Short mmCIF file of all heavy atoms in Angstrom, two decimals:
data_model
loop_
_atom_site.label_atom_id
_atom_site.label_comp_id
_atom_site.label_asym_id
_atom_site.label_seq_id
_atom_site.Cartn_x
_atom_site.Cartn_y
_atom_site.Cartn_z
N PRO C 177 14.61 10.05 -14.51
CA PRO C 177 13.26 10.17 -15.09
C PRO C 177 13.21 11.33 -16.06
O PRO C 177 13.84 12.37 -15.85
CB PRO C 177 12.38 10.41 -13.86
CG PRO C 177 13.30 10.90 -12.79
CD PRO C 177 14.61 10.24 -13.04
N THR C 178 12.48 11.14 -17.14
CA THR C 178 12.44 12.15 -18.20
C THR C 178 11.13 12.94 -18.22
O THR C 178 11.00 13.90 -18.97
CB THR C 178 12.61 11.47 -19.57
OG1 THR C 178 11.60 10.45 -19.72
CG2 THR C 178 13.99 10.82 -19.67
N GLY C 179 10.15 12.50 -17.43
CA GLY C 179 8.89 13.21 -17.40
C GLY C 179 7.92 12.75 -18.46
O GLY C 179 6.77 13.18 -18.50
N ASP C 180 8.35 11.87 -19.36
CA ASP C 180 7.45 11.33 -20.38
C ASP C 180 7.09 9.89 -20.01
O ASP C 180 7.24 9.47 -18.87
CB ASP C 180 8.09 11.40 -21.77
CG ASP C 180 9.47 10.75 -21.79
OD1 ASP C 180 9.73 9.91 -20.89
OD2 ASP C 180 10.26 11.05 -22.68
N ASP C 181 6.60 9.14 -20.97
CA ASP C 181 6.19 7.76 -20.70
C ASP C 181 7.29 6.75 -20.99
O ASP C 181 7.02 5.58 -21.21
CB ASP C 181 4.94 7.42 -21.54
CG ASP C 181 3.71 8.14 -21.06
OD1 ASP C 181 3.73 8.59 -19.90
OD2 ASP C 181 2.75 8.25 -21.83
N MET C 182 8.53 7.18 -20.98
CA MET C 182 9.63 6.30 -21.30
C MET C 182 10.36 5.77 -20.07
O MET C 182 10.93 4.69 -20.09
CB MET C 182 10.63 7.02 -22.21
CG MET C 182 10.02 7.55 -23.50
SD MET C 182 9.36 6.23 -24.53
CE MET C 182 10.88 5.44 -25.02
N VAL C 183 10.34 6.55 -18.98
CA VAL C 183 11.09 6.20 -17.77
C VAL C 183 10.18 6.42 -16.56
O VAL C 183 9.49 7.44 -16.48
CB VAL C 183 12.37 7.07 -17.64
CG1 VAL C 183 13.17 6.65 -16.40
CG2 VAL C 183 13.22 6.96 -18.89
N PRO C 184 10.15 5.49 -15.59
CA PRO C 184 9.33 5.68 -14.40
C PRO C 184 9.87 6.81 -13.52
O PRO C 184 11.02 7.24 -13.70
CB PRO C 184 9.43 4.33 -13.69
CG PRO C 184 10.72 3.74 -14.15
CD PRO C 184 10.88 4.21 -15.58
N PRO C 185 9.09 7.31 -12.57
CA PRO C 185 9.51 8.45 -11.73
C PRO C 185 10.80 8.22 -10.97
O PRO C 185 11.52 9.17 -10.68
CB PRO C 185 8.33 8.62 -10.76
CG PRO C 185 7.15 8.07 -11.49
CD PRO C 185 7.68 6.93 -12.30
N CYS C 186 11.12 6.96 -10.65
CA CYS C 186 12.35 6.68 -9.90
C CYS C 186 13.56 6.57 -10.81
O CYS C 186 14.71 6.59 -10.34
CB CYS C 186 12.19 5.39 -9.11
SG CYS C 186 11.91 3.94 -10.15
N GLY C 187 13.34 6.43 -12.13
CA GLY C 187 14.42 6.21 -13.07
C GLY C 187 14.70 4.72 -13.25
O GLY C 187 14.03 3.87 -12.67
N PHE C 188 15.70 4.40 -14.07
CA PHE C 188 16.15 3.03 -14.26
C PHE C 188 17.50 2.86 -13.56
O PHE C 188 18.31 3.79 -13.52
CB PHE C 188 16.34 2.70 -15.75
CG PHE C 188 15.06 2.63 -16.54
CD1 PHE C 188 14.96 3.24 -17.79
CD2 PHE C 188 13.96 1.94 -16.05
CE1 PHE C 188 13.79 3.16 -18.53
CE2 PHE C 188 12.79 1.86 -16.78
CZ PHE C 188 12.70 2.48 -18.02
N GLY C 189 17.74 1.66 -13.05
CA GLY C 189 19.01 1.39 -12.40
C GLY C 189 18.86 0.39 -11.28
O GLY C 189 17.89 -0.39 -11.24
N SER C 190 19.80 0.40 -10.33
CA SER C 190 19.80 -0.52 -9.19
C SER C 190 19.28 0.19 -7.95
O SER C 190 19.68 1.33 -7.66
CB SER C 190 21.22 -1.05 -8.94
OG SER C 190 21.68 -1.78 -10.06
N PHE C 191 18.41 -0.49 -7.21
CA PHE C 191 17.74 0.12 -6.07
C PHE C 191 17.67 -0.85 -4.89
O PHE C 191 17.76 -2.07 -5.05
CB PHE C 191 16.31 0.53 -6.44
CG PHE C 191 16.23 1.57 -7.53
CD1 PHE C 191 16.27 1.19 -8.87
CD2 PHE C 191 16.13 2.91 -7.23
CE1 PHE C 191 16.20 2.13 -9.88
CE2 PHE C 191 16.06 3.87 -8.24
CZ PHE C 191 16.09 3.48 -9.56
N HIS C 192 17.47 -0.26 -3.70
CA HIS C 192 17.14 -1.01 -2.50
C HIS C 192 15.75 -0.56 -2.06
O HIS C 192 15.51 0.64 -1.88
CB HIS C 192 18.15 -0.76 -1.38
CG HIS C 192 19.46 -1.43 -1.60
ND1 HIS C 192 20.42 -1.53 -0.64
CD2 HIS C 192 19.97 -2.05 -2.70
CE1 HIS C 192 21.48 -2.18 -1.11
NE2 HIS C 192 21.22 -2.50 -2.37
N GLN C 193 14.85 -1.52 -1.93
CA GLN C 193 13.49 -1.21 -1.48
C GLN C 193 13.38 -1.58 0.01
O GLN C 193 13.44 -2.76 0.36
CB GLN C 193 12.46 -1.99 -2.30
CG GLN C 193 11.02 -1.57 -2.01
CD GLN C 193 10.12 -1.77 -3.22
OE1 GLN C 193 10.07 -0.94 -4.12
NE2 GLN C 193 9.38 -2.86 -3.23
N GLN C 194 13.25 -0.57 0.85
CA GLN C 194 13.23 -0.77 2.29
C GLN C 194 11.80 -0.91 2.80
O GLN C 194 10.91 -0.15 2.40
CB GLN C 194 13.90 0.40 3.01
CG GLN C 194 15.36 0.61 2.67
CD GLN C 194 15.95 1.80 3.40
OE1 GLN C 194 15.25 2.75 3.75
NE2 GLN C 194 17.25 1.75 3.66
N TYR C 195 11.60 -1.87 3.70
CA TYR C 195 10.32 -2.06 4.37
C TYR C 195 10.52 -1.64 5.83
O TYR C 195 11.31 -2.25 6.56
CB TYR C 195 9.87 -3.52 4.28
CG TYR C 195 9.60 -3.96 2.86
CD1 TYR C 195 10.65 -4.34 2.01
CD2 TYR C 195 8.30 -3.99 2.35
CE1 TYR C 195 10.41 -4.72 0.70
CE2 TYR C 195 8.06 -4.38 1.04
CZ TYR C 195 9.11 -4.74 0.23
OH TYR C 195 8.87 -5.12 -1.07
N VAL C 196 9.82 -0.58 6.22
CA VAL C 196 10.01 0.02 7.53
C VAL C 196 8.67 0.05 8.28
O VAL C 196 7.67 0.54 7.75
CB VAL C 196 10.56 1.46 7.40
CG1 VAL C 196 10.78 2.08 8.78
CG2 VAL C 196 11.86 1.46 6.60
N ILE C 197 8.65 -0.49 9.49
CA ILE C 197 7.45 -0.47 10.32
C ILE C 197 7.73 0.34 11.58
O ILE C 197 8.64 0.02 12.35
CB ILE C 197 6.98 -1.89 10.69
CG1 ILE C 197 6.48 -2.61 9.44
CG2 ILE C 197 5.88 -1.84 11.74
CD1 ILE C 197 5.93 -4.00 9.70
N ASP C 198 6.97 1.42 11.74
CA ASP C 198 7.12 2.32 12.89
C ASP C 198 8.57 2.75 13.07
O ASP C 198 9.11 2.77 14.18
CB ASP C 198 6.61 1.65 14.18
CG ASP C 198 5.09 1.49 14.18
OD1 ASP C 198 4.43 2.14 13.36
OD2 ASP C 198 4.58 0.70 14.99
N GLY C 199 9.21 3.07 11.93
CA GLY C 199 10.58 3.58 11.97
C GLY C 199 11.66 2.52 12.04
O GLY C 199 12.84 2.86 11.98
N LYS C 200 11.30 1.24 12.14
CA LYS C 200 12.31 0.17 12.23
C LYS C 200 12.39 -0.58 10.91
O LYS C 200 11.39 -1.02 10.36
CB LYS C 200 11.95 -0.80 13.36
CG LYS C 200 12.97 -1.93 13.50
CD LYS C 200 12.58 -2.92 14.58
CE LYS C 200 13.59 -4.05 14.67
NZ LYS C 200 13.23 -5.07 15.67
N LEU C 201 13.61 -0.76 10.40
CA LEU C 201 13.84 -1.49 9.16
C LEU C 201 13.65 -2.97 9.41
O LEU C 201 14.30 -3.56 10.27
CB LEU C 201 15.26 -1.21 8.66
CG LEU C 201 15.65 -1.83 7.31
CD1 LEU C 201 14.88 -1.16 6.19
CD2 LEU C 201 17.16 -1.67 7.08
N ILE C 202 12.72 -3.60 8.66
CA ILE C 202 12.44 -5.03 8.86
C ILE C 202 12.84 -5.88 7.66
O ILE C 202 12.98 -7.10 7.79
CB ILE C 202 10.96 -5.28 9.19
CG1 ILE C 202 10.08 -4.89 8.00
CG2 ILE C 202 10.54 -4.54 10.45
CD1 ILE C 202 8.68 -5.47 8.08
N ALA C 203 13.01 -5.27 6.47
CA ALA C 203 13.38 -6.04 5.28
C ALA C 203 13.93 -5.11 4.22
O ALA C 203 13.57 -3.91 4.19
CB ALA C 203 12.19 -6.82 4.74
N VAL C 204 14.77 -5.65 3.34
CA VAL C 204 15.33 -4.89 2.22
C VAL C 204 15.31 -5.77 0.98
O VAL C 204 15.86 -6.88 0.99
CB VAL C 204 16.77 -4.42 2.49
CG1 VAL C 204 17.33 -3.69 1.27
CG2 VAL C 204 16.83 -3.53 3.72
#
């Protein structure tokens, strides 16, 4: 992330988005 309006706060690239309920991983 560059801090301007060009790149989102997470940056660009490959990611895993984890869904966690009460500490347990239920989906990725």
Side-chain angles (χ1 to χ4, degrees):
T178 56
D180 53 22
D181 289 341
M182 302 299 291
V183 183
C186 62
F188 291 135
S190 298
F191 298 84
H192 286 192
Q193 188 151 278
Q194 298 179 332
Y195 296 81
V196 181
I197 292 183
D198 290 344
K200 180 182 178 182
L201 184 68
I202 65 163
V204 177

